[in-house]
Amino acid sequence: MRVFKLGGLAALAVVAGLSLTACQSDDGGDEAAGTGKGSASSQTAGDSGSSGDSGSSGDSGATASAGASVSGASGGPSSEGDGKDGAQGADGGVAACRTDGLKVTAANTTIDGDDRATVAVTLKNAGGTSCALGGAYAGVDLKTNAGALSATRANKESIPDLPVVLKAGESTSFGVWYPFNKTGGSGVRVTGLVVTPPNETKPVTLAWPGEASLPVTEDGGGAGVEVGPLGSEGQGG
């Protein structure tokens, strides 16, 4: 059974916030390192625009460099994980991580014996300079044959929604948790994964690397899906 410690995650988020403040001081201190280390998984981002019908992935993620500062970042479109509550930096601070400057990947990381299935999503800074993810949560939506299903934030009451700074080439990962379909039926078929980085409006559509279906709820939709904060899952793979 997979367990992650929330205390460490909260501390990590606070450290990231303090690091961002240090970057904005007048003494020209060094930029803070990001939370994630390691390589991205084999599932890579394809279309960087809005959700398409296929949900398929391309050969590589977007690699455009990040531009605007954290203070200019806007909220994302997903219902709960859009990062709209993320802390904002002062002008001249670390640039905000933009979707086009991130390589977004996903992999099935479910372990035998887990009570829920897991997909790890990794965000890698593909630009040449440090950038700040504008909150602790990304937006996650599953594309299904019953319509879009938005993930809810796990443990959102205890996780401060602070920015996370990634140096060039650094990564951070988070978990997407969902129930196994043990009903014996076909369930709700998952056809794609849509990820919107924290405090961004532009999503990335990936192929779904997890279980083929979710159990059906009474209203005909899929059972609950949760998204964890940045750093809540090991690097996808």
Side-chain angles (χ1 to χ4, degrees), residues 60-180:
S60 61
T63 57
S65 60
S69 66
V70 174
S71 60
S74 56
S78 188
S79 60
E80 281 211 64
D82 54 16
K84 290 187 290 185
D85 299 328
Q88 308 232 329
D91 290 340
V94 178
C97 294
R98 296 304 191 189
T99 301
D100 289 341
L102 296 169
K103 182 176 182 180
V104 186
T105 60
N108 180 17
T109 55
T110 303
I111 297 174
D112 290 342
D114 282 355
D115 56 357
R116 292 190 297 176
T118 304
V119 164
V121 177
T122 300
L123 306 178
K124 180 178 181 179
N125 179 4
T129 59
S130 297
C131 69
L133 295 164
Y137 290 87
V140 170
D141 297 280
L142 270 59
K143 297 169 64 179
T144 78
N145 61 338
L149 177 62
S150 295
T152 58
R153 292 178 176 182
N155 305 297
K156 63 180 180 180
E157 295 82 5
S158 57
I159 302 296
D161 201 17
L162 297 174
V164 174
V165 176
L166 296 178
K167 287 186 176 181
E170 286 189 332
S171 303
T172 186
S173 298
F174 60 87
V176 178
W177 302 294
Y178 59 100
F180 291 104

Side-chain angles (χ1 to χ4, degrees), residues 7 11 19-20 25 58 61 81 87 92 113 117 137 141 163 190 224:
S19 299
L20 180 58
S25 64
Y137 290 87
D141 297 280
V190 183

